[in-house]
Every structure is written in structure tokens, then in C-alpha cells.
């Protein structure tokens, strides 16, 4: 049993430990490291709704005829054998699609895994620098490994402040925990949807040549830009890409890094052997051989994004920000009220109001035309109240 005050200030993982036996023991001899025990669970709640706009997934499923091709390929494969050691055949297919040397590609089960591994590769005992507000995983990975963390605020218009990022990198130069580390920048930025200029990124990369710089391009297809030429210019850079968004394959769990052969070789050491399954490989190969559907969908999503933004600009109480991704950020008078009112209309969105600088904000994925119409209807219905 524990007293209520013991639980105050404790997060879910501690409570779970406590419920399984005696209260969580955070002494150095406890079975669980304190950095893990005191970390919150990943902030996500699965909620059922008619219109699902909370995870920036593709509204459209992977095409049926491609599903059939993948299943057919799997039928002809032996399932009793281990797959490639390092996803070798899939890396070759990605190399061809991306026009990137396969020796500079690392594939894992989601780019989320690459974020954890890059932090292990170059962050432990050093420093992780990123921006805030931000995708929560960069900071979470640092906290779990007790790594010093610097979060550089975006400007008030959510644009990247290169001078501030450079200052954060240079601030600790010369100290053991600061001379190097990992720098994470999402491009376009999540969850604000802003796109940093090439000049701003270039200035940062120039100032961080002894850092592992990671540009997370999960949404790059929706921005019409990418950072490949920067990654070629600065060999300490890794670009992260995923099948979870534009490809419509979030259920597949595959992501990859584009980097130099040397960094890829080192990073690959941290990936467990045979980590990418034969099933994942077959589906991804079919997708990479038939990528035409992605371009069509991306164009549709971009057109829908601009339509939704235009319509929401006339909303009486919401402020909508422009976006280079497949989601939009909206400032409402009260995020909880807006979230609840939208959900009551069957529209599920994501609250972002607990992130620094995002009070009142919700994030809404751009879905199918019908999904977006449902959002707009609900938004104007509840408009005055929230
Ligand atoms: C969705 C998303 C990813 C993709 O993660 P996966 O593990 O590949 O599904 C990566 N970075 C950001 C910022 C994202 O929003």
C-alpha cells in the first residue's frame, strides 16, 4: 500500500512498479535505473473515432493490388529461414529508389528506433541538442540514458533560430559533455509544420561538424524539399525517412537513415542482427517498385491542406498556422475544450498544449476530403464556444 502523497509527482511507470510490489526503489541498487523509472510513459492514448486525424497517418490504405503482390511474394518465400542480416536486399532497393549508396543506408523497424540508436551512437556521456517545442522522442531518448539535454526554443513564429542552435552547440565546446553529441532537427518541423531554410540549416551544419547531426525528414514529401544535398556536403549528417506517413504503411514499422558508409557501418553495429523481418522486406520492396501512388496522394494531401487552412482562416476563434507537412497546428482558446468538442462530433485530433509555447494548440492530420470536410463542419459548429 502507498499513501496518496507518495504517488503525487510520480509518473505512471513508477506507479506501475509500486503496484507490482513495494514502492519503487530509486536507490542506485534498484533493478531499474532511476532515469527510466522516473520517466513518463510515451504520451499516447488510443481512442476510437469515426474520423481519425491524430497520428498523421495516410488516410488511404496501402493499395489493394500492392497488398496482393506482397502477399504473393511472401507465399513463395521460406518462412523458416532468417531474413537478411542487415536488411541487405531492402537496402539495395532503397538505394535505387533514393539514388543513395546502399552502404550509407541503415534500415530499422521504424525511424523511432533510429532516433534511439543515434543517441546511443553519439550521445551517451555527451549531449543531445534539439529545439522546443518538438517531437517528444529526441528528448525522451536523452533522458532515458541520462544524457545532458539542451532544448533551443523556436522563434515565436515557430521558425528555426540558427544563431540560437549554434550558440547552444558552442556553449559547451571544450567540456567533456559538450564537445560533441547529437543534434536533432525535424524538417519540416513537427508539430508546427514549419520548414527551415537551406541557409539556416547550412549555417547550423557548418558550426556542428564534430556533432552527429540528424535531420528527421518524416514529412519531407509534403514539403517539396529535402536535405540530401546538405547531407552530401556535411558527412556528419544522417537523414531519417519513414514508410509510416506518405507511403501509407504505418502498420509496417519501417524507417531508414541516409548517411555516409562510415556512419552507417558504426550505426549498424547497434541494430540487432536480423532485425527487419522477411515480411517487412517483401512489403517495402513492393512499395519501392511501385512508388507512383505516393506522388498522387502527396499532391492530393497538399491541395487538401491548403483548402483546410484557407477555410479555417475564417474561423471566429481559431488561429491556424501554415504547414509544409500533412498536418496543421491550430491555436484554440482552450485545447481541452476544442479536443472534447471535436471528438463529440466524431473527429479525433491530438492535443499539443502541454508542449512549451503551444498553449491552446491542437494538431490535426490532413485526411481524405471527407475527413477534412467533417473536421471543418465540426470546427465551425463548435466555433463560437471553443
Ligand atoms: C511520424 C514521425 C516519425 C516516424 O516514426 P516511425 O517510427 O518511422 O513510424 C519520425 N519523426 C517524426 C517527427 C514523426 O512525426
Amino acid at each position: 500500500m502507498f499513501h496518496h502523497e507518495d504517488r503525487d509527482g510520480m509518473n505512471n511507470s513508477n506507479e506501475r512498479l509500486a503496484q507490482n510490489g513495494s514502492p519503487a526503489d530509486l536507490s542506485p541498487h534498484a533493478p531499474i535505473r532511476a532515469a527510466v523509472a522516473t520517466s513518463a510513459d510515451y504520451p499516447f492514448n488510443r481512442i476510437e473515432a469515426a474520423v481519425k486525424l491524430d497520428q498523421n497517418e495516410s488516410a488511404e490504405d496501402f493499395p489493394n493490388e500492392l497488398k496482393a503482390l506482397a502477399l504473393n511474394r511472401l507465399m513463395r518465400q521460406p518462412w523458416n529461414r532468417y531474413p537478411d542480416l542487415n536488411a541487405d536486399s531492402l537496402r539495395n532497393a532503397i538505394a535505387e529508389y533514393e539514388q543513395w549508396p546502399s552502404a550509407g543506408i541503415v534500415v530499422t523497424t521504424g525511424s523511432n528506433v533510429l532516433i534511439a540508436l543515434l543517441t546511443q551512437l553519439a550521445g551517451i556521456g555527451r549531449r543531445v541538442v534539439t529545439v522546443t517545442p518538438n517531437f517528444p522522442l529526441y528528448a525522451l531518448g536523452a533522458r532515458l540514458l541520462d544524457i545532458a539535454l539542451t532544448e533551443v526554443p523556436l522563434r515565436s513564429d515557430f521558425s528555426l533560430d540558427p544563431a540560437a542552435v549554434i550558440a547552444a552547440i558552442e556553449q559547451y565546446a571544450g567540456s567533456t559533455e559538450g564537445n560533441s553529441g547529437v543534434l536533432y532537427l525535424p524538417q519540416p518541423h513537427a508539430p508546427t509544420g514549419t520548414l527551415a531554410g537551406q541557409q539556416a540549416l547550412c549555417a547550423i551544419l557548418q558550426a556542428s561538424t564534430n556533432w552527429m547531426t540528424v535531420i528527421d525528414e518524416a514529412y519531407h514529401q509534403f514539403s517539396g524539399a529535402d536535405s540530401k544535398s546538405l547531407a552530401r556536403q556535411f558527412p556528419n549528417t544522417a537523414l531519417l525517412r519513414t514508410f509510416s506517413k506518405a507511403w501509407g504503411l504505418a502498420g509496417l514499422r519501417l524507417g531508414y537513415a541516409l548517411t555516409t558508409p562510415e556512419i552507417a557501418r558504426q550505426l549498424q553495429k547497434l541494430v540487432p542482427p536480423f532485425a527487419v523481418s522477411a515480411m517487412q522486406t517483401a512489403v517495402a520492396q513492393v512499395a519501392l517498385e511501385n512508388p507512383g501512388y505516393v506522388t498522387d496522394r502527396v499532391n492530393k494531401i497538399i491541395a487538401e491542406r491548403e483548402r483546410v487552412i484557407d477555410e479555417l482562416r475564417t474561423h471566429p476563434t481559431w488561429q491556424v498556422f501554415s504547414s509544409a507537412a500533412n498536418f496543421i497546428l491550430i491555436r484554440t482558446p482552450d485545447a481541452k475544450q476544442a479536443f472534447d468538442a471535436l471528438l463529440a462530433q466524431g473527429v479525433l485530433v491530438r492535443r499539443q498544449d502541454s508542449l512549451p509555447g503551444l498553449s491552446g494548440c491542437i494538431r490535426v492530420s490532413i485526411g481524405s476530403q471527407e475527413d477534412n470536410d467533417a473536421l471543418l463542419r465540426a470546427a465551425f459548429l463548435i466555433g463560437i464556444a471553443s
Side-chain angles (χ1 to χ4, degrees), residues 161-242:
D161 184 347
V165 174
I166 292 167
I169 280 170
E170 291 179 345
Q171 182 175 2
Y172 302 96
S175 74
T176 38
E177 289 196 349
N179 225 356
S180 184
V182 194
L183 169 65
Y184 285 104
L185 297 173
Q187 168 80 339
H189 180 266
T192 67
T194 55
L195 195 67
Q198 292 287 300
Q199 276 182 340
L201 286 179
C202 192
I204 291 171
L205 294 176
Q206 251 156 6
S208 55
T209 48
N210 58 336
W211 284 62
M212 182 72 237
T213 54
V214 183
I215 302 179
D216 185 345
E217 296 195 315
Y219 302 100
H220 78 94
Q221 292 97 332
F222 306 101
S223 75
D226 73 28
S227 303
K228 270 186 186 164
S229 69
L230 283 176
R232 287 194 194 96
Q233 201 180 333
F234 295 96
N236 55 317
T237 300
L239 308 182
L240 301 189
R241 299 192 165 189
T242 181

Side-chain angles (χ1 to χ4, degrees), residues 21 51 60 62 74 115 130 174 220 274 338 344:
V51 180
E60 288 182 82
F62 189 53
L74 277 170
I115 294 167
T130 188
H220 78 94
F274 315 107

Side-chain angles (χ1 to χ4, degrees), residues 110-113 115 135 138 186 190 216 218-219 242 244-245 253-255:
S111 51
N112 285 349
V113 174
I115 294 167
F135 186 54
Y138 316 126
D216 185 345
Y219 302 100
T242 181
S244 301
K245 309 286 161 57
R253 306 305 301 127
L254 272 184

